[in-house]
């Protein structure tokens, strides 16, 4: 018998959505993905069309769901011009508003709303780690996005009874074939993997399997509120790159100075903040409540992504 009933993944088509579908498909009776694109059903995984901002017949899918996981948002890996900035914010706040409106129509509301948010909400930190309790909120465009995102969740779900809410302040998610890992791995393989900037900026990261396991853990406990969704061992960019080079038996290559990163970011259409901001974030609440990580160290995560075992059996 399946462990869970129905899971609704709003925008479950991206990096985290794919990992969650793979993880939960044999653990639940039904997965419904809300997407802007149609896709054929695969056994008990169905895609239902929405636009992420308008209430439509899709709302019935939320009726009596075990959990709604909202992953909607324009990818932040782009240039922060006015058009992209607006889409980054609107896609996040609109989806929250319309999902809350949909839930307000339900007779039996989902038991839990898990909102994917970002650990970027904390300030640039090279001096000390940020926890849920004592982390300081930063400033700048990305932080404003995070604040608007979380405020919209809090404001729009405050009146919904019988539903727990969790905000997952997620750090860099490491997946084998999506997100930042394959890009850095390719740089390293071609002998171009070096530290970025002065290399002292902290990198908080988490293996995609641990994201899924933390979601499952939250579905099974009674916790609410903000959780930092990140591995317990953040490290500097230099160490991060050294470990990646070691896994691929390569030497740490030349340093990419800030001016070169700025130039490169314009060429490939991204922002240097994504690599130069020091994100030093700890999963204090999860650890305190007894969550254990399958991949607590970067070595174990990289070895798994490299070998594809997903077994977390790397010995240091
Ligand atoms: N991956 C990470 O390292 C990471 C870290 C921290 C936070 N997060 C946050 O967690 C969420 C999920 O991450 P992810 O890596 O799975 O993201 P992703 O791969 O970029 O996928 C996000 C999904 O959102 C939908 N979407 C994109 N633009 C949209 C728009 N303008 N309007 C409505 N929907 C739109 C797309 O689904 P459809 O095309 O199917 O509609 C897309 O597949 C995001 O909000 C992200 O910011 C991710």
């Amino acid at each position: 018998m399946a462990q869970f009933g129905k899971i609704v993944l709003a925008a479950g088509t991206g990096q985290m959505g794919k990992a969650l579908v793979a993880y939960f498909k044999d653990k639940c009776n039904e997965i419904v993905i809300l997407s802007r694109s149609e896709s054929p059903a695969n056994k008990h995984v169905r895609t239902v069309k929405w636009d992420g901002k308008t209430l439509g017949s899709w709302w019935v899918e939320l009726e009596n769901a075990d959990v709604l996981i909202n992953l909607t948002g324009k990818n932040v890996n782009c240039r922060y011009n006015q058009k992209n900035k607006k889409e980054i914010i609107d896609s996040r706040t609109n989806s929250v508003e319309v999902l809350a409106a949909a839930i307000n129509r339900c007779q039996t509301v989902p038991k839990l709303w898990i909102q994917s948010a970002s650990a970027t909400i904390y300030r640039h930190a090279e001096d000390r780690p940020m926890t849920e309790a004592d982390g300081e909120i930063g400033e700048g465009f990305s932080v404003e996005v995070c604040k608007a995102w979380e405020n919209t969740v809090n404001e729009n779900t405050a009146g919904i009874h019988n539903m727990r809410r969790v905000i997952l302040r997620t750090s860099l998610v490491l997946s084998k074939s999506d997100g930042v890992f394959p890009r850095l791995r390719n740089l390293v393989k071609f002998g171009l993997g070096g530290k970025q900037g002065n290399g002292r900026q902290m990198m908080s990261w988490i293996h995609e399997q641990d994201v899924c396991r933390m979601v499952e853990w939250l579905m099974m406990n009674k916790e609410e509120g903000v959780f930092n969704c990140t591995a317990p061992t953040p490290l500097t960019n230099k160490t991060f790159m050294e470990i990646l080079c070691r896994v691929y038996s390569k030497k740490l290559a030349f340093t990419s100075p800030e001016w070169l990163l700025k130039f490169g970011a314009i060429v490939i259409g991204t922002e240097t903040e994504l690599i130069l901001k020091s994100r030093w974030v700890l999963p204090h609440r999860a650890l305190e409540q007894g969550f254990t990580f399958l991949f607590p160290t970067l070595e174990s995560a990289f070895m798994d992504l490299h070998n594809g075992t997903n077994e977390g059996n790397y010995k240091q």
Side-chain angles (χ1 to χ4, degrees), residues 215-254:
V215 165
E216 183 179 24
W217 175 75
L218 288 161
M219 286 168 73
M220 293 194 303
N221 65 31
K222 296 277 173 251
E223 298 297 327
E224 289 200 79
V226 171
F227 277 83
N228 290 342
C229 182
T230 185
T233 53
L235 23 72
T236 64
N237 169 274
K238 179 168 181 276
T239 311
F240 188 100
M241 293 308 294
E242 279 170 351
I243 294 171
L244 188 56
C245 288
R246 214 158 50 230
V247 168
Y248 287 92
S249 307
K250 296 279 184 188
K251 283 208 176 92
L252 193 68
F254 64 89

Side-chain angles (χ1 to χ4, degrees), residues 29-266:
N29 291 326
E30 197 179 2
I31 295 182
V32 175
I33 297 169
L34 301 178
S35 169
R36 293 167 303 163
S37 309
E38 315 242 7
S39 191
N42 184 359
K43 294 184 186 153
H44 56 289
V45 181
R46 286 186 294 126
T47 300
V48 173
K49 216 169 160 199
W50 77 332
D51 67 1
K53 56 186 173 194
T54 320
L55 199 56
S57 54
W58 56 265
W59 74 266
V60 295
E61 301 297 344
L62 290 159
E63 192 70 69
N64 203 16
D66 275 12
V67 61
L68 160 67
I69 306 172
N70 183 18
L71 304 160
T72 315
K74 177 180 168 54
N75 202 295
V76 294
N77 187 12
C78 59
R79 291 298 289 173
Y80 292 167
N81 55 36
Q82 285 313 313
K83 181 175 168 289
N84 286 342
K85 279 181 169 178
K86 182 167 165 30
E87 198 180 334
I88 286 172
I89 295 191
D90 289 354
S91 56
R92 286 170 172 76
T93 54
N94 289 343
S95 66
V96 170
E97 283 166 3
V98 78
L99 285 165
I103 290 174
N104 276 318
R105 289 205 165 189
C106 293
Q107 290 209 317
T108 311
V109 303
K111 294 182 186 67
L112 170 64
W113 175 325
I114 297 184
Q115 177 62 47
S116 181
S118 174
T120 289
I121 196 163
Y122 298 112
R123 68 167 167 81
H124 178 101
E126 294 187 22
D127 53 337
R128 69 168 183 91
M130 304 281 127
T131 70
E132 296 88 345
D134 68 5
E136 292 163 56
I137 305 302
E139 52 191 44
F141 170 68
S142 307
V143 171
E144 291 310 316
V145 172
C146 294
K147 281 170 28 185
W149 206 1
E150 293 193 11
N151 288 342
T152 310
V153 175
N154 293 332
E155 283 160 17
N156 283 268
T157 61
I160 304 174
H161 303 293
N162 302 321
M163 182 185 79
R164 286 189 294 131
R165 301 148 197 80
V166 169
I167 289 180
L168 279 187
R169 289 182 178 166
T170 310
S171 65
L172 212 55
V173 178
L174 303 182
S175 304
K176 194 177 172 73
S177 52
D178 209 345
V180 74
F181 176 75
R183 285 180 227 141
L184 291 178
R185 176 194 57 204
N186 289 342
L187 276 182
V188 165
K189 276 185 173 173
F190 289 110
L192 299 172
K195 66 181 160 80
Q196 284 124 6
N198 65 24
R200 287 198 297 273
Q201 70 275 32
M202 295 294 286
M203 292 180 71
S204 287
W205 57 274
I206 184 166
H207 190 295
E208 63 172 19
Q209 286 290 302
D210 278 325
V211 174
C212 299
R213 291 175 64 256
M214 197 181 283
V215 165
E216 183 179 24
W217 175 75
L218 288 161
M219 286 168 73
M220 293 194 303
N221 65 31
K222 296 277 173 251
E223 298 297 327
E224 289 200 79
V226 171
F227 277 83
N228 290 342
C229 182
T230 185
T233 53
L235 23 72
T236 64
N237 169 274
K238 179 168 181 276
T239 311
F240 188 100
M241 293 308 294
E242 279 170 351
I243 294 171
L244 188 56
C245 288
R246 214 158 50 230
V247 168
Y248 287 92
S249 307
K250 296 279 184 188
K251 283 208 176 92
L252 193 68
F254 64 89
T255 300
S256 307
E258 204 170 321
W259 66 264
L260 183 61
L261 290 172
K262 282 192 173 140
F263 175 71
I266 294 169

